[in-house]
Amino acid sequence: MHQPAITGSGVFTPALSISNEELVVAFNAYADTWNAANAPQIATGAVEAMAHSSSDFIHAASGIESRFVLDKDGILDPDTMHPWLPERSKDEISVMAEMGVDACRKALDMAGVAASDVDAVICAASNHERAYPAIAIEIQQALGTGGFGFDMNVACSSATFGIQAAADMVRSGSIRRALVVNPEICSAHLEWRDRDCHFIFGDVATAVLIERADDAKGPHFKIKSTRCATQFSNNIRNNNGFLRRTRDGHMDDRRDMLFMQNGRKVFKEVLPLVSKHIAEHMDDTGVTAPNLKRLWLHQANKTMNDYIGKKVLGRTPEDGEQPNILQDYANTSSAGSIIAFAQHSDDLAPGDTGIICSFGAGYSVGSVIVERAS
Ligand code: COA
């Protein structure tokens, strides 16, 4: 058995971003147009007028201030309200693979590892641009890695479930190195015309390199233990694919293809599930709150993270103990906890322990206990 470790991490951040204020202007213009078009039915009470969104509500309810996106014009055009991602020919790299390759290269550079020394690419994400061939295999080809690649999806928990799969393979010796990559085009599966959720998501890609701790060329994080759990729920659901769209598609035509959630229920049901999951994982591995230096949590909602942090540590986390990145990135599905890890882990000292934890649709929850090593 070999000790697996995370030796590199990388984040691809799109060049474009949308502030809450910009988003609300577009939504409210769309709502006004919709209300004008439906004025007769609204007047008779047959349909309800669409209410305006507000940036104050968005910030207070979620902690989100801005989000990065692959396309801004389509999302902010009140007549379109979804990203325009130009179709690519078969000879061009696909969008998810392109984002993923960027994040993987950063992870490989950090670890000082050549792509040709990687044996597996796991593309773990909430939505895959196509069913096959696997995005992971396209990334494998673009990077020039060896071995194999496959795609997997456990929604927002995809990254930690992917880390468990890769860590187990490294531990057993079936592979020596794996890239776990999480390209998330959340903007294409969000309904930007739904006031309840139009502010939730952003686009990003993250990657981690997992290899034997003995092979690490610099500071790294030993993967001490991983734990995954699922429990069926319809409260976060995508009924259909997400990239099929028509320019003039009516809301009903595309609503079923996009993200849906019962946010309040998610809030109430997922919080106890996650807090209990982390507490039991810590108990079973002998990690106590006083020796836990950092929590890198899934980035969906600030209130949720504050609650989990307090439950796990038994006190309000101090600045930096439970870093949030959702104010800048919004919810980036599986990538959220890995952005937090990549951007807020350098300062830990050898021997320090932290937990990466993701949670979301399924329901699903995954936790990875890591220890800093030099
Ligand atoms: N602008 C202004 N007001 C809004 C609004 C918007 N964009 N969206 C909803 N509201 C209103 C609602 O109409 C409601 O008004 P009412 O009380 O008069 O009925 C009120 O604000 C509260 O709405 P609600 O949806 O219950 O808000 P919330 O406090 O639960 O926050 C979420 C919404 C989505 C931020 C929150 O539920 C959440 O984060 N849930 C968990 C999400 C999650 O983790 N999902 C996983 C995704 S992968």
Side-chain angles (χ1 to χ4, degrees):
M1 291 294 200
H2 306 279
Q3 170 63 57
I6 298 174
T7 58
S9 57
V11 180
F12 161 80
T13 303
L16 304 170
S17 66
I18 298 178
S19 68
N20 288 347
E21 289 72 23
E22 290 175 292
L23 189 65
V24 164
V25 168
F27 180 87
N28 291 348
Y30 165 75
D32 290 344
T33 307
W34 191 90
N35 288 341
N38 292 280
Q41 297 92 318
I42 293 170
T44 63
V47 296
E48 220 173 287
M50 202 174 280
H52 274 188
S53 183
S54 107
S55 45
D56 286 347
F57 169 84
I58 295 171
H59 188 246
S62 67
I64 296 165
E65 294 169 20
S66 190
R67 70 280 298 136
F68 291 95
V69 288
L70 293 178
D71 172 61
K72 190 166 169 169
D73 291 346
I75 294 168
L76 292 186
D77 173 4
D79 294 327
T80 305
M81 304 284 280
H82 61 77
W84 284 120
L85 302 174
E87 213 168 304
R88 295 185 175 191
S89 77
K90 285 200 199 83
D91 299 328
E92 291 174 283
I93 190 165
S94 56
V95 185
M96 281 181 78
E98 186 174 70
M99 300 160 74
V101 162
D102 183 279
C104 286
R105 287 213 170 106
K106 287 170 178 154
L108 289 168
D109 283 353
M110 184 175 166
V113 166
S116 53
D117 289 332
V118 172
D119 307 313
V121 176
I122 301 177
C123 179
S126 283
N127 290 280
H128 294 270
E129 192 170 342
R130 58 167 185 264
Y132 50 85
I135 305 294
I137 302 174
E138 197 179 358
I139 294 174
Q140 174 192 20
Q141 185 198 40
L143 288 171
T145 65
F148 59 91
F150 63 87
D151 292 350
M152 57 176 278
N153 179 355
V154 201
C156 290
S157 296
S158 299
T160 50
F161 280 56
I163 288 172
Q164 168 160 302
D168 285 351
M169 287 188 252
V170 170
R171 188 178 288 111
S172 73
S174 67
I175 62 167
R176 198 152 179 142
R177 287 181 194 86
L179 279 161
V180 180
V181 51
N182 325 105
E184 292 285 10
I185 313 176
C186 296
S187 66
H189 88 115
L190 177 59
E191 179 51 275
W192 297 91
R193 299 175 301 182
D194 184 339
R195 176 175 172 263
D196 285 351
C197 66
H198 77 116
F199 53 89
I200 291 181
F201 287 120
D203 301 331
V204 79
T206 52
V208 290
L209 180 74
I210 295 171
E211 55 182 329
R212 295 179 188 176
D214 288 347
D215 286 343
K217 297 179 178 64
H220 55 280
F221 285 88
K222 287 182 188 165
I223 298 174
K224 302 299 285 184
S225 175
T226 60
R227 182 167 296 182
C228 298
T230 52
Q231 179 185 305
F232 188 69
S233 165
N234 272 323
N235 284 327
I236 315 169
R237 186 171 168 112
N238 170 228
N239 288 325
N240 215 324
F242 79 102
L243 279 182
R244 277 174 288 149
R245 295 218 199 278
T246 54
R247 205 173 253 276
D248 55 354
H250 184 263
M251 189 163 184
D252 293 336
D253 295 334
R254 74 192 204 204
R255 190 64 192 96
D256 228 24
M257 297 174 182
L258 304 172
F259 169 84
M260 305 203 193
Q261 78 165 356
N262 187 336
R264 280 247 166 117
K265 277 202 172 152
V266 173
F267 216 107
K268 265 175 56 187
E269 293 173 6
V270 167
L271 283 179
L273 200 72
V274 173
S275 310
K276 185 164 172 273
H277 178 97
I278 296 178
E280 286 176 1
H281 195 184
M282 284 170 63
D283 270 359
D284 294 350
T285 45
V287 174
T288 59
N291 65 28
L292 188 64
K293 286 286 184 295
R294 194 135 311 165
L295 268 170
W296 300 280
L297 295 178
H298 174 50
Q299 303 284 316
N301 182 293
K302 184 175 181 308
T303 311
M304 258 170 135
N305 284 3
D306 289 348
Y307 176 96
I308 294 167
K310 201 168 173 182
K311 215 57 191 158
V312 170
L313 296 178
R315 58 177 169 78
T316 303
E318 282 169 30
D319 271 355
E321 274 186 313
Q322 180 208 292
N324 281 327
I325 54 84
L326 56 78
Q327 63 280 5
D328 303 317
Y329 283 85
N331 183 344
T332 49
S333 198
S334 67
S337 58
I338 306 300
I339 306 174
F341 173 76
Q343 297 185 346
H344 299 276
S345 52
D346 273 1
D347 58 314
L348 292 191
D352 283 351
T353 297
I355 299 183
I356 304 170
C357 180
S358 62
F359 43 88
Y363 296 132
S364 55
V365 48
S367 49
V368 179
I369 297 180
V370 294
E371 184 189 299
R372 180 77 165 172
S374 47

